[in-house]
Amino acid sequence: MASNVPPTPRGSFPRYLEHLSGSGKAIGVLTSGGDAQGMNAAVRAVVRMGIYVGAKVYFIYEGYQGMVDGGSNIVEAKWESVSSILQVGGTIIGSARCKAFHTREGRLQAAGNLVQWGITNLCVIGGDGSLTGANIFRKEWSELLEELAKNGKISEEAVTKYSYLNVVGMVGSIDNDFCGTDMTIGTDSALHRIMEVIDAIMTTAQSHQRTFVLEVMGRHCGYLALVSALACGADWVFLPESPPEEGWEENMCVKLSENRARKKRLNIIIVAEGAIDTQNHPISSEKIKDLVVKQLGFDTRVTILGHVQRGGTPSAFDRILASRMGVEAVVALLEATPETPACVVSLSGNQAVRLPLVECVQMTQDVQKAMDERRFKDAVRLRGRSFEGNLNIYKRLAIKLPDDQITKSNCNVAVINVGAPAAGMNAAVRSAVRVGIADGHKMLAIYDGFDGFAKGQIKEIGWSDVGGWTGQGGSILGTKRALPGKFLEEIAEQIRAHSINALLIIGGFEAYLGLLELSAAREKYEELCIPMVMVPATVSNNVPGSDFSIGSDTALNTITDTCDRIKQSASGTKRRVFIIETMGGYCGYLANMGGLAAGADAAYIFEEPFDIRDLQSNVEHLTEKMKTSIQRGLVLRNESCSENYTTDFIYQLYSEEGKGVFDCRKNVLGHMQQGGVPSPFDRNFGTKISARAMQWITTKLKESYGKGKKCVSDDCICVLGISKRNVLFQPVADLKKETDFEHRIPKEQWWLKLRPLMKILAKYKASFDVSDSGQLEPVQDQNTQGEPAAI
């Protein structure tokens, strides 16, 4: 479907969103359809950003039903109306299915109610049904107004004054079933609920050697089932988009019994509630259980997760996503003209983009049509490259071909963990080992970092050795901060002794420095002239060449959970400010993003120098805040943000300056940020990025195989990462100039652009750069350049 929307060229000058630049506008915000965690964060961002630019923002309670009923369902929102809702699941403004809005009569009533309040900008948070409804409403708007004037309900003047309606949508749906966006609001939180249940079930299943059939939500979309299967290493998964081939009953039972024969004490089968076979007949969890019991006699249980998946507190990812989307939605409404088509604010890789609503909805409906017509390959393709990629990786990691069917490459590939442990490292190792074996390589595990490498702590690692690794935190291979520089001779000797043909390094900044040292030593030691690739894994997220590292999402969730608890304790005592110190070295990612996810009043980071005047203005800001109904404060401080303004100093300063107005407490989070079970994001990200690294290694080995070529060029030693929308392999030599080695951070960091966002949402004035916003993009062209970084 060709798009008729020409992308607007981006300006070469930065454009800033100014305070009170939207005076006179009225924005209505509603949540509609099924609820999803993170909707409240989106509502909060719309309200606060709207008020910040000078617009009036109105809550429309109970979705479209409230719009039709009017009266007390439409209420002006104040800044404090959205306090303390960031950590609450569901939606505080309610959501309802509305039959009346499907009729013209209902929409006529709704238009009358909006005109009464002067609302001509709608921000709709919901699924494709809700967004379609909003678009129909927008198209009919002027006719509806003329009809209202004809019936004497509104004046002719009102028809002219409110002549057009602008609509911006955000997709809130736990199923991630909307085409055009990588992630919908609520999906990540739903995965958190599912993984919590799977982790708990795995321990009991292991004790009794049981098989568990888990049914997850997704009537028309298998995203939750697929990603949770990928993240827990399930034995089998049933999806609506990709039904099992004929004879699946037999194949599945063979696979389950093979896994048991490999000493695996449990089997996990994940079923999407809308799972079907190739004839479009439903496959129920009970049917699968009966099959396993009858054919194999295994002790089998069914667990249906149901509405647990919609509940609970939103994850850090969902809060940040919803806050970014909410702000982008307000910017889109400010820039809208009568000609602007309705748009959806989406996530592409790591960038917020605007897409034409009609096209996205059309594509989403095309998927369902393809499934109904049994064109399953088309359905998977239409779901997007992210879905397709997940499915292919799952198949490679779950099903081991018999040895005689794997073409041997006669290459040995080693995997090593370097630096501090990060949650998700084990998922990355498991993925690399299995993809390597499937590609015909012999996989070697190096224990205890470069130190262990030099001492020869190297063993072959097999397919079943890495079973059950995805859900384990820390590093099973062991990891150390030691750099290879001191052991180059010994390492070269070990590479020769074990005939290692390629090296995959999973780690943080030390891994990056180690890669540079190995690269530089190639002239002296020809053994080091092999392909090497690094996958970033560190809680600090400070590796040049990637927007994200494995482990930082888990750390962010730990910080957010702790801040939620601390805020709760402060709401009891009133008039209390908490100062919380986060990890990250000199990199302020955790403090800044943690502040955004937890709704902090300030976050001190090294990248943005501050002085005593800034501290003073923060204290004054908190003193003002204590006069309102929100009598608590939260301040985050990165551990190395300033040599002299230590956590103790800031605590003492706040305590002294706030005397009689508020009291202070401090909390150093420390190493709990490095531990814990990996979040679904880190399991999935680790699995996918590591599989991609192994594909690169295989390609490099094929290029040089049999030609006796040594890898001496720069592009043989790379860092793999996500940059904006793409997955990139960047030669480590090229990244040197982008690195601040003294402070161990990249010179440019994408998340600093989100810093004003945190300040605005905490009621500070800040210049928000919107240069990247503003163009409506065609749906299909999103991922034409480069390799898409769907997360």
Side-chain angles (χ1 to χ4, degrees):
M1 173 175 162
S3 172
N4 49 8
V5 187
T8 337
R10 300 186 177 204
S12 46
F13 299 105
R15 290 184 303 128
Y16 291 100
L17 186 70
E18 295 308 325
H19 183 49
L20 303 179
S21 56
S23 299
K25 289 222 174 204
I27 300 171
V29 60
L30 69 140
T31 51
S32 170
D35 68 320
Q37 308 94 321
M39 279 183 165
N40 286 329
V43 170
R44 170 181 179 266
V46 170
V47 168
R48 293 199 165 171
M49 195 66 182
I51 292 172
Y52 176 80
V53 297
K56 283 192 164 180
V57 186
Y58 294 90
F59 285 147
I60 299 172
Y61 285 99
E62 312 306 335
Y64 288 118
Q65 193 61 55
M67 203 193 287
V68 173
D69 296 344
S72 61
N73 287 306
I74 301 176
V75 178
E76 189 177 344
K78 298 277 179 281
W79 190 272
E80 274 102 52
S81 317
V82 288
S83 290
S84 311
I85 68 168
L86 199 53
Q87 64 274 27
V88 180
T91 160
I92 57 153
I93 54 177
S95 175
R97 313 268 177 198
C98 175
K99 289 207 172 78
F101 198 75
H102 287 283
T103 65
R104 189 179 164 86
E105 204 44 54
R107 294 194 289 275
L108 192 66
Q109 240 174 307
N113 289 328
L114 292 188
V115 168
Q116 205 178 331
W117 292 95
I119 299 170
T120 55
N121 295 282
L122 270 192
C123 182
V124 182
I125 308 163
D128 58 340
S130 315
L131 300 183
T132 310
N135 194 47
I136 294 169
F137 191 43
R138 186 188 73 88
K139 283 183 176 160
E140 293 179 350
W141 180 258
S142 50
E143 293 167 30
L144 293 171
L145 260 53
E146 276 160 20
E147 195 174 324
L148 286 167
K150 203 167 79 185
N151 300 345
K153 297 272 172 67
I154 59 170
S155 63
E156 284 296 337
E157 191 187 338
V159 177
T160 326
K161 190 176 175 187
Y162 306 121
S163 60
Y164 66 96
L165 177 74
N166 284 121
V167 171
V168 172
M170 282 184 265
V171 193
S173 154
I174 66 163
D175 293 338
N176 202 20
D177 56 357
F178 193 79
C179 293
T181 186
D182 285 348
M183 283 290 253
T184 57
I185 297 166
T187 307
D188 188 64
S189 304
L191 285 170
H192 272 260
R193 296 301 90 78
I194 295 170
M195 293 319 298
E196 284 157 15
V197 172
I198 293 177
D199 287 348
I201 276 178
M202 276 178 144
T203 52
T204 166
Q206 201 120 26
S207 311
H208 296 279
Q209 296 204 32
R210 281 197 174 127
T211 296
F212 268 88
V213 182
L214 280 136
E215 186 180 300
V216 299
M217 280 187 167
R219 252 199 316 261
H220 306 294
C221 176
Y223 184 88
L224 290 178
L226 176 55
V227 173
S228 46
L230 197 57
C232 77
D235 297 83
W236 203 271
V237 65
F238 290 92
L239 315 169
E241 295 89 341
S242 178
E245 291 158 9
E246 294 295 327
W248 62 267
E249 295 90 343
E250 181 66 26
N251 296 342
M252 184 182 78
C253 291
V254 168
K255 168 87 197 306
L256 295 181
S257 49
E258 272 177 9
N259 281 355
R260 281 292 169 97
R262 287 197 193 109
K263 303 275 190 294
K264 191 175 176 185
R265 291 179 61 90
L266 77 158
N267 303 110
I268 301 273
I269 299 166
I270 294 181
V271 192
E273 61 179 324
I276 47 175
D277 62 16
T278 46
Q279 301 309 306
N280 280 17
H281 300 134
I283 299 177
S284 70
S285 32
E286 281 299 333
K287 178 180 173 179
I288 296 164
K289 175 196 159 177
D290 295 343
L291 179 75
V292 175
V293 172
K294 192 173 150 208
Q295 299 267 349
L296 299 171
F298 289 173
D299 183 1
T300 308
R301 298 283 192 275
V302 172
T303 300
I304 296 173
L305 267 65
H307 281 76
V308 165
Q309 295 159 84
R310 279 195 194 281
T313 178
S315 64
F317 182 93
D318 272 333
R319 298 182 197 194
I320 293 165
L321 173 69
S323 301
R324 284 175 75 177
M325 300 290 131
V327 166
E328 181 70 25
V330 172
V331 176
L333 287 171
L334 289 188
E335 294 175 350
T337 64
E339 288 74 48
T340 309
C343 76
V344 180
V345 179
S346 300
L347 180 76
S348 173
N350 184 27
Q351 237 180 348
V353 293
R354 295 180 206 169
L355 303 172
L357 187 146
V358 186
E359 288 183 28
C360 292
V361 169
Q362 182 58 52
M363 225 167 129
T364 306
Q365 288 166 352
D366 288 348
V367 179
Q368 191 53 48
K369 193 166 170 251
M371 277 153 52
D372 293 343
E373 294 169 4
R374 308 217 295 257
R375 292 182 288 113
F376 296 110
K377 281 207 168 74
D378 290 348
V380 169
R381 188 180 48 78
L382 286 164
R383 273 271 178 251
R385 282 153 92 170
S386 144
F387 190 88
E388 213 170 345
N390 282 334
L391 187 56
N392 293 335
I393 290 175
Y394 173 75
K395 285 176 180 167
R396 294 202 73 183
L397 297 179
I399 298 159
K400 182 182 188 292
L401 287 171
D403 287 340
D404 53 7
Q405 286 181 33
I406 298 174
T407 316
K408 294 280 178 280
S409 67
N410 299 324
C411 291
N412 297 343
V413 179
V415 183
I416 183 171
N417 286 349
V418 177
M425 275 183 162
N426 298 323
V429 172
R430 167 186 176 267
S431 168
V433 167
R434 291 197 168 176
V435 171
I437 291 171
D439 283 346
H441 310 314
K442 179 174 164 186
M443 296 302 295
L444 302 173
I446 300 171
Y447 294 84
D448 295 339
F450 288 119
D451 195 18
F453 200 166
K455 291 177 183 156
Q457 295 172 349
I458 303 166
K459 277 201 203 103
E460 185 177 352
I461 187 164
W463 186 277
S464 42
D465 295 335
V466 290
W469 278 30
T470 46
Q472 299 199 39
S475 160
I476 297 172
L477 293 185
T479 176
K480 287 191 174 171
R481 290 178 183 270
L483 293 173
K486 316 194 273 265
F487 319 112
L488 288 169
E489 189 127 352
E490 293 91 328
I491 287 174
E493 175 55 42
Q494 293 298 340
I495 290 178
R496 192 165 56 246
H498 291 87
S499 19
I500 294 170
N501 304 97
L503 180 65
L504 170 63
I505 304 176
I506 299 166
F509 205 84
E510 284 84 6
Y512 172 71
L513 293 174
L515 201 58
L516 280 167
E517 289 183 5
L518 293 172
S519 172
R522 285 186 297 179
E523 288 175 15
K524 196 170 171 194
Y525 302 100
E526 64 163 5
E527 292 87 350
L528 298 175
C529 298
I530 56 173
M532 298 183 198
V533 63
M534 170 192 166
V535 167
T538 161
V539 298
S540 308
N541 197 21
N542 61 340
V543 176
S546 188
D547 288 359
F548 292 108
S549 349
I550 299 166
S552 56
D553 183 70
T554 305
L556 211 47
N557 277 296
T558 305
I559 293 167
T560 311
D561 291 348
T562 311
C563 289
D564 287 351
R565 290 177 187 198
I566 284 173
K567 274 166 82 173
Q568 205 168 21
S569 83
S571 62
T573 43
K574 300 272 193 293
R575 296 177 180 274
R576 180 162 284 176
V577 174
F578 276 90
I579 292 150
I580 295 172
E581 183 185 302
T582 67
M583 279 180 139
Y586 285 100
C587 176
Y589 177 81
L590 289 178
N592 188 66
M593 300 307 258
L596 190 55
D601 295 282
Y604 299 119
I605 59 171
F606 168 75
E607 291 88 347
E608 191 177 281
F610 57 97
D611 58 22
I612 197 76
R613 285 180 293 277
D614 298 308
L615 293 170
Q616 181 61 35
S617 94
N618 290 145
V619 172
E620 285 162 10
H621 188 267
L622 283 165
T623 309
E624 282 307 303
K625 187 179 177 183
M626 294 299 159
K627 294 175 185 168
T628 69
S629 56
I630 326 158
Q631 299 185 345
R632 50 147 215 280
L634 184 66
V635 174
L636 270 65
R637 177 191 175 274
N638 159 267
E639 58 184 355
S640 307
C641 65
S642 163
E643 206 179 329
N644 297 313
Y645 297 134
T646 59
T647 303
D648 284 335
F649 176 90
I650 293 175
Y651 163 69
Q652 285 162 348
L653 177 89
Y654 271 60
S655 300
E656 182 60 37
E657 294 293 319
K659 247 189 200 153
V661 184
F662 57 80
D663 64 355
C664 261
R665 294 286 184 277
K666 63 175 188 223
N667 199 327
V668 177
L669 297 184
H671 279 75
M672 63 189 277
Q673 296 162 84
Q674 270 181 10
V677 290
S679 66
F681 180 95
D682 279 332
R683 296 180 198 201
N684 194 11
F685 180 51
T687 299
K688 285 163 72 169
I689 201 152
S690 183
R692 184 64 195 89
M694 279 309 298
Q695 288 168 347
W696 179 88
I697 284 177
T698 299
T699 311
K700 286 281 174 208
L701 290 172
K702 276 186 182 153
E703 283 169 10
S704 62
Y705 188 66
K707 297 175 190 155
K709 272 201 315 194
K710 289 282 180 193
C711 283
V712 285
S713 61
D714 282 347
D715 67 353
C716 283
I717 298 196
C718 285
V719 173
L720 168 57
I722 282 185
S723 176
K724 286 195 174 143
R725 301 190 196 185
N726 296 323
V727 170
L728 290 181
F729 287 89
Q730 296 180 72
V732 71
D734 297 357
L735 290 171
K736 256 168 111 167
K737 57 182 182 296
E738 294 172 23
T739 310
D740 170 354
F741 284 99
E742 185 192 345
H743 299 106
R744 301 160 57 96
I745 50 175
K747 286 180 183 169
E748 275 194 23
Q749 302 185 82
W750 66 274
W751 52 266
L752 284 168
K753 273 199 167 171
L754 299 184
R755 193 147 168 78
L757 207 80
M758 193 201 90
K759 294 181 179 175
I760 289 169
L761 297 177
K763 219 173 182 173
Y764 285 92
K765 286 194 182 78
S767 287
F768 185 46
D769 182 358
V770 289
S771 325
D772 286 349
S773 308
Q775 72 293 351
L776 200 55
E777 304 191 0
V779 182
Q780 296 289 24
D781 293 359
Q782 270 185 281
N783 286 328
T784 43
Q785 297 87 27
E787 191 177 328
I791 322 171

